Amino acid sequence: HVQLVESGGGSVQAGESLRLSCAASGYSYGSFCMGWFRQTPGKEREGVAVIGFGGVTNYADSVQGRFTISRDHARNTLYLQMISLKPEDTAVYYCAAAPSQTWRQCSRMTRGDFGYWGQGTQVTVS
């Protein structure tokens, strides 16, 4: 049973930082494409960042240079370090996992390719 549990959300002022964590269990963590998505009311869930098996990463243009995705294999944990936060970053952030993907597939950050999701954590920037 695959389980993803996010933590680290909260309310911050513009320009501040947050780090989100996602604890993963129930599968061969290292073989999965992992990612962060976000969603605001009335909008589609959008890809923010993804990381492949070997640590290669890809980011949405809107967060490039401000967000960093990383993974700790020993702790089966995914992270999203967010700096210089903007009000438009306000959203519910979701951790997601996709098994057995090529990097080409993973890098596209297509929501439908990710079969496992966490419950989400709210990030509010004012």
Side-chain angles (χ1 to χ4, degrees):
H1 176 63
V2 176
Q3 188 171 17
L4 303 173
V5 180
E6 301 101 334
S7 60
S11 296
V12 297
Q13 298 292 315
E16 294 184 341
S17 302
L18 277 176
R19 188 176 80 157
L20 305 182
S21 299
C22 172
S25 62
Y27 64 98
S28 180
Y29 168 80
S31 66
F32 276 46
C33 166
M34 302 290 296
W36 289 97
F37 288 71
R38 66 187 182 186
Q39 189 169 21
T40 55
K43 292 189 176 181
E44 293 291 318
R45 192 171 298 184
E46 63 174 0
V48 174
V50 290
I51 185 166
F53 321 135
V56 62
T57 59
N58 191 37
Y59 297 90
D61 290 343
S62 59
V63 306
Q64 182 75 45
R66 299 187 299 119
F67 289 13
T68 303
I69 188 171
S70 62
R71 62 198 299 176
D72 184 332
H73 290 280
R75 291 182 170 82
N76 282 1
T77 302
L78 180 73
Y79 301 101
L80 185 68
Q81 178 67 50
M82 305 182 292
I83 67 170
S84 302
L85 282 161
K86 304 175 181 180
E88 51 263 44
D89 295 317
T90 295
V92 177
Y93 283 72
Y94 296 89
C95 171
S100 304
Q101 281 199 344
T102 64
W103 173 242
R104 183 174 182 178
Q105 291 171 303
C106 180
S107 65
R108 288 196 298 240
M109 293 190 286
T110 301
R111 177 184 177 178
D113 290 339
F114 287 77
Y116 303 103
W117 294 87
Q119 82 287 354
T121 185
Q122 177 71 45
V123 171
T124 302
V125 185
S126 59

